[in-house]
Amino acid sequence: MLLSLVVHTYSLRYWFPATIMLGTAPAYLLSWGAWRLLSTVLPARVYHKLDDRLYCIYQSMVLFFFENYTGVEIVIYGDIPKNKENVIYLSNHQCTADWIIADMLAIRQSAIGHVRYVLKDGLKWLPLYGWYFSQHGGIYVKRSAKFNEKAMKKKLSTQTQSGAPMYLVIFPEGTRYNPELKNVIADSQAFATKEGLAVLKHTLTPRMKASHIAIETMRGHLDAVYDVTVAYEGTLGPSGRRKPAPSMPEFLCKECPRVHIHFDRVDIEEIPPEPVFFRRWLHERFEMKDRLLTDFYESEDADKIHKFPREGKPSPLKLSKTLPSVLILGGLTLPLLMTENGRKLYVRTWVYGTLLGWLWLKA
């Protein structure tokens, strides 16, 4: 009985926030849909402005659970600009919680509504979210020969021409680094060797195409690239071997006590436009990440292990940044659930939203 209670309590740590995040999605989608219809006769710039504001409300609610609810400590190495900028965010990729880390940095610049993602193609099938991320400016890409360069350029050009603020998140590795997937790591290292590139130990060999296209398509619109390296504390096993980073459920179950974020701003003018030089530049950035992560996981100095160089500053997120969004979305959702017609509308939004997303993506 006691064990069952413990297991049940543990699962509630995840199911409680997950239920609220998913449960408020239909109310959010209805609000966004109403604005989308109203804005059809308005300039695209006006649509993007309120769309970004709505997105800010929803993502701030998500961060209430990932930061305030979990109590995770965010430690930042480097200085995040106080002013909003049009940027591309390049980071190492380890787990499904990585996209939340981008939100964590963006909200500290009051730029969370501007966040858009380059996502792997399979994620477009997520009910509601897959379709909406595309509507908000996200880009789905396939790997290798199936990569649609023309479609990516067209979408980015459309957004920049409309003046949409940009905080574009890209994970150049293309897939997650998992220390338990030895074959994936071996293939990545073999590719680096074949191409005459430095072999990386704690990241995969970065792919350049999406990053290069994004930077060159939007070069006149961008201020900088944010080069971010993330390490999750608690991912070093007793034997000294690196363990997989926490999944989103594990993160919500408070299994990650601290996240270390190394931040480096690179002015857009410092990035070479030529593909061959850009590839070298990107790989050199990942060599730097690899050294940072090697020191983080393998340093023999007790004062340096589980840390990045330079002084790390804890960066708590004020409750005032997130709690109002929880109350707003809760206030929109509860009336839908209190009447029979509201519940029907709620369910139909889920069903029709999912179907509409599927049909739109198949077209």
Side-chain angles (χ1 to χ4, degrees):
M1 178 67 75
L2 181 59
L3 179 60
S4 176
L5 180 62
V6 170
V7 171
H8 182 64
T9 302
Y10 179 85
S11 65
L12 281 177
R13 287 182 171 185
Y14 166 62
W15 286 111
F16 168 64
T19 298
I20 294 178
M21 285 188 282
L22 293 171
T24 55
Y28 174 81
L29 191 67
L30 286 169
S31 302
W32 172 82
W35 168 241
R36 192 72 181 100
L37 288 173
L38 289 171
S39 66
T40 52
V41 296
L42 299 175
R45 185 185 296 271
V46 177
Y47 162 72
H48 282 301
K49 189 170 184 178
L50 188 55
D51 175 47
D52 283 4
R53 183 58 191 159
L54 290 171
Y55 187 77
C56 173
I57 292 172
Y58 188 84
Q59 293 299 81
S60 295
M61 181 269 292
V62 170
L63 285 181
F64 169 80
F65 292 105
F66 277 92
E67 288 211 52
N68 301 122
Y69 170 80
T70 62
V72 65
E73 183 179 17
I74 305 300
V75 183
I76 298 178
Y77 303 76
D79 298 320
I80 302 174
K82 293 181 180 180
N83 299 326
K84 299 177 186 178
E85 297 185 290
N86 288 319
V87 302
I88 289 178
Y89 170 109
L90 299 179
S91 176
N92 58 316
H93 192 21
Q94 306 162 77
C95 63
T96 52
D98 287 335
W99 68 276
I100 296 291
I101 305 302
D103 286 353
M104 289 176 176
L105 288 182
I107 200 171
R108 285 162 169 79
Q109 281 183 281
S110 299
I112 191 170
H114 304 166
V115 175
R116 311 172 208 282
Y117 305 96
V118 174
L119 301 160
K120 63 181 180 182
D121 191 65
L123 292 175
K124 69 185 181 184
W125 305 113
L126 283 173
L128 296 183
Y129 294 100
W131 174 64
Y132 175 70
F133 278 149
S134 178
Q135 294 296 295
H136 183 64
I139 300 166
Y140 293 106
V141 297
K142 295 181 179 180
R143 297 175 189 163
S144 305
K146 296 181 179 180
F147 186 95
N148 192 332
E149 180 177 334
K150 185 177 180 180
M152 184 175 184
K153 285 182 176 179
K154 181 179 179 181
K155 187 157 193 177
L156 290 172
S157 296
T158 299
Q159 291 183 81
T160 53
Q161 288 168 12
S162 69
M166 188 62 63
Y167 196 108
L168 185 65
V169 178
I170 304 177
F171 300 107
E173 289 162 278
T175 191
R176 296 190 294 270
Y177 176 97
N178 184 336
E180 294 182 351
L181 299 180
K182 305 295 184 183
N183 59 325
V184 174
I185 296 172
D187 288 346
S188 176
Q189 293 176 339
F191 175 79
T193 300
K194 178 184 175 183
E195 297 296 316
L197 302 169
V199 173
L200 307 175
K201 184 177 181 181
H202 286 283
T203 72
L204 301 178
T205 303
R207 301 166 184 262
M208 63 159 278
K209 189 171 287 186
S211 304
H212 185 253
I213 289 172
I215 290 173
E216 291 312 305
T217 302
M218 300 191 296
R219 183 174 282 271
H221 188 65
L222 296 173
D223 298 301
V225 164
Y226 290 171
D227 184 8
V228 176
T229 306
V230 179
Y232 297 91
E233 197 164 312
T235 51
L236 190 64
S239 63
R241 291 186 178 182
R242 183 177 172 184
K243 299 190 300 182
S247 63
M248 283 200 286
E250 289 169 339
F251 201 107
L252 288 170
C253 286
K254 307 182 182 183
E255 293 191 12
C256 180
R258 194 172 289 107
V259 179
H260 297 261
I261 304 172
H262 188 277
F263 178 89
D264 192 13
R265 181 188 184 280
V266 183
D267 192 275
I268 198 67
E269 297 299 327
E270 298 177 20
I271 301 172
E274 300 84 0
V276 63
F277 295 119
F278 176 83
R279 183 184 191 185
R280 185 185 304 166
W281 174 85
L282 182 62
H283 199 82
E284 287 174 352
R285 301 305 301 190
F286 268 77
E287 288 180 59
M288 292 167 60
K289 293 181 187 297
D290 200 54
R291 289 194 292 270
L292 289 170
L293 292 167
T294 298
D295 289 341
F296 185 91
Y297 286 108
E298 300 179 18
S299 177
E300 296 180 358
D301 188 336
D303 293 329
K304 293 182 179 180
I305 198 164
H306 290 168
K307 295 179 182 178
F308 287 135
R310 305 192 312 199
E311 180 185 1
K313 299 177 182 178
S315 178
L317 184 63
K318 293 179 180 178
L319 199 59
S320 60
K321 288 274 192 178
T322 59
L323 184 58
S325 296
V326 179
L327 299 177
I328 291 169
L329 288 169
L332 290 172
T333 302
L334 285 177
L336 288 177
L337 301 176
M338 291 176 68
T339 65
E340 183 177 354
N341 288 336
R343 286 192 291 272
K344 289 179 180 178
L345 179 61
Y346 181 91
V347 172
R348 286 170 181 167
T349 302
W350 263 111
V351 174
Y352 294 147
T354 301
L355 180 60
L356 178 61
W358 183 79
L359 291 173
W360 181 85
L361 289 165
K362 286 290 284 184

